[in-house]
Amino acid sequence: MKTKLKIMTVIFFTYLCCSSFNTFAQGWTKTDSLEFEKIKDDTTELRKWTNDIGSKKSIKAHGRLGFIKFKEKNYKDAEKEFRILEKYAKKEKEGKDALYFIGRIESFKDNIPNAKKYYEDYLIEDPNGEWAQGANYYLILQKRKLKDTDVLQEMDKFLKKYPNEFYTPHVKFNKVEHFIINNQYDKAIEVSLDIIENYPETNYAKELQYQIGDFYVKQGKYEEAKNYYDKLIKQKNKNTEPSAISQYLLGETYEQQGNFKKARNEYKKAKDENPSIENWKILSDYSIALSFYNEWLTTQDTTCLDSAKVLLTSFTTNYPTDKRTPRAMLTIADIYYSFG
């Protein structure tokens, strides 16, 4: 009987030790909360708290230290803190949060399947927790990388749950990229216009406004593309980079359609109507010269070839250090090699 009692006692105390991070014999008081607020950015004091093994104070300290190290991009030390919580504080908020942060760290290490699992585990443990929106977003990124077939459904699910939150425009942009990869340009245009209208200050909106015309071109809808760029030009102030870009892209659309003369007119406008935008002025000169060469390739009109030689040579003289000059020189060499 005594032997049996000793065995039961050992088992009981072993259980207490193993589960100490999930049971708070020492509790958490208002005084503890006030003290924590004072030291939450002091890693030395937080480390002292971790010595109080098995207490809520220890768990809070590990969680805060992990967060601080994560924000400092010291992912190795952050992971150490979060792994402790993962193992010993599974049912506490800090233990659940650790799953999210470990997922982020696994993402940085490019361990995509592991990252996906940790985001999923976090969302199971705390579906409406502090990091739930981020976990849902980063889960979508992992699914995209893994080419999961349900990734579009994940995006739609996210947007239904978070119609206008921090990660909403990020998910919408991922949706645009998904449609581009799958050649669904009508849908890419629809979501792009949504981003431009509702999130105009984001980099996504600033980038996509110039891509929509290209989405039309990829469908062979040249008139829609030209109409779109015409409208965009009217919205932009002259002598600004957005104006120059819009005008240039209209010229590029005409060239892609095979209307080289009209393309050159639009390239010239990009230069003449935005004279202080130096880079687009140079690009316009180069594109005008190259368009004669491209027209010759299409029509075999030798007068276009002569114009290309003159303008490309002039370009290399006027802009000897420009990044396009080597290509211009190679084109000139090709013309002379082939046709003298």
Side-chain angles (χ1 to χ4, degrees), residues 239-241 244 270-271 274-286 315 318-319 322 324:
N239 209 22
T240 64
E241 186 168 45
K271 170 184 173 181
N274 306 280
S276 66
I277 313 302
E278 187 67 19
N279 183 56
W280 290 93
K281 172 185 172 184
I282 296 171
L283 180 58
S284 293
D285 280 346
Y286 175 71
F315 181 86
N318 293 334
Y319 309 110
D322 185 74
R324 287 159 283 259

Side-chain angles (χ1 to χ4, degrees), residues 21-125:
F21 273 86
N22 293 316
T23 58
F24 304 133
Q26 298 179 36
W28 183 253
T29 66
K30 185 176 180 180
T31 301
D32 292 332
S33 295
L34 293 171
E35 188 180 351
F36 181 75
E37 283 301 310
K38 291 179 181 177
I39 70 162
K40 67 179 183 180
D41 296 318
D42 187 332
T43 56
T44 302
E45 290 301 315
L46 287 169
R47 183 59 63 198
K48 292 177 184 177
W49 276 32
T50 63
N51 295 327
D52 191 6
I53 298 171
S55 70
K56 178 65 173 176
K57 293 175 72 172
S58 179
I59 289 174
K60 291 283 284 185
H62 280 297
R64 183 63 184 173
L65 284 166
F67 181 76
I68 291 171
K69 297 300 180 183
F70 183 88
K71 294 293 284 184
E72 292 174 349
K73 299 184 179 180
N74 182 351
Y75 301 124
K76 183 177 179 181
D77 286 345
E79 185 174 5
K80 289 178 183 177
E81 304 298 334
F82 292 131
R83 291 291 182 187
I84 291 170
L85 293 168
E86 178 194 15
K87 186 174 181 181
Y88 296 110
K90 291 181 180 179
K91 298 304 179 184
E92 302 308 317
K93 179 186 182 299
E94 292 79 9
K96 295 172 184 177
D97 290 351
L99 299 175
Y100 167 75
F101 285 105
I102 293 172
R104 294 289 306 277
I105 293 166
E106 292 290 345
S107 296
F108 297 145
K109 294 192 288 188
D110 213 28
N111 293 333
I112 306 307
N114 285 355
K116 176 188 170 189
K117 181 181 182 303
Y118 273 102
Y119 294 135
E120 289 172 336
D121 287 348
Y122 173 80
L123 290 168
I124 290 169
E125 293 295 330

